[in-house]
Amino acid sequence: MLTEIQIGQYLDLAVAAEGVVEPELSRWIAICKSGRYSIHRPLLLGATIAGRPELAPVFEVYGEALGEAFQLRDDLIGVFGDPEAAGKPVGLDLEQHKMTLLLAWAAQRDERVRKLISRQEWDTAELLDRLGESRERVERHIDDLVERACGATDTVLLDSAWRQELAGMALEVAYRNR
């Protein structure tokens, strides 16, 4: 877990410093930073302790999908959130030139966004104006990730109470406002 989060944090900083616009790399960073550390590996540890090794592949799919959704929601909150509800300043990711999936998809689609992020100083107000379509795409991707996570639990014998608990956690993690 420690190695994965270190790799994710390193890549997050390196991609921001280099201005790399690569959506798949942005997704991988989200998985390393959050997917494996906060959801997948803890569930895997619990399954191992409980003597349920057959849950490992299920928890890998569930954990990585939900962990990515968690990070993507965090990215959306960081750009569009209410600072009071979020409990943190918004806009910091743009100020720090973080190449989130939201921004990578926008840059891939929009020449103006590519020009804005190629500058040393970013016009964050103009960037915000141009992120609407990518925001919708990220929201749809989060929906798909939640569906994938919850669907993974249907592939193994699991008590319905645990299945409901995991589905509830998926909704809470992916659709939170802070």
Side-chain angles (χ1 to χ4, degrees), residues 48-171:
T48 302
I49 291 170
R52 300 281 312 265
E54 75 277 10
L55 294 176
V58 170
F59 286 161
E60 181 175 4
V61 173
Y62 176 91
E64 286 191 9
L66 188 54
E68 183 181 353
F70 172 88
Q71 184 61 51
L72 295 177
R73 176 62 57 202
D74 196 60
D75 294 343
L76 290 174
I77 291 168
V79 174
F80 301 107
D82 174 6
E84 196 164 309
K88 62 182 183 179
V90 296
L92 199 54
D93 284 352
L94 291 178
E95 289 174 22
Q96 294 177 342
H97 298 195
K98 297 283 178 118
M99 191 52 61
T100 62
L101 186 60
L102 170 76
L103 193 54
W105 275 343
Q108 200 175 47
R109 175 191 58 76
D110 185 335
E111 175 66 30
R112 182 69 187 142
V113 171
R114 283 193 298 277
K115 286 181 182 177
L116 287 167
I117 65 172
S118 69
R119 298 178 182 160
Q120 183 134 3
E121 292 296 321
W122 289 7
D123 182 341
T124 56
E126 188 173 352
L127 273 173
L128 278 172
D129 288 342
R130 304 192 73 83
L131 293 178
E133 186 177 312
S134 290
R135 180 182 188 177
E136 292 170 16
R137 186 174 177 190
V138 169
E139 289 287 2
R140 288 190 307 273
H141 187 58
I142 289 171
D143 293 341
D144 292 343
L145 291 166
V146 169
E147 187 175 315
R148 183 181 322 150
C150 292
T153 65
D154 293 336
T155 65
V156 69
L157 183 60
L158 193 62
D159 184 83
S160 65
W162 284 110
R163 194 179 319 274
Q164 289 175 354
E165 185 72 26
L166 290 168
M169 183 171 77
L171 295 175

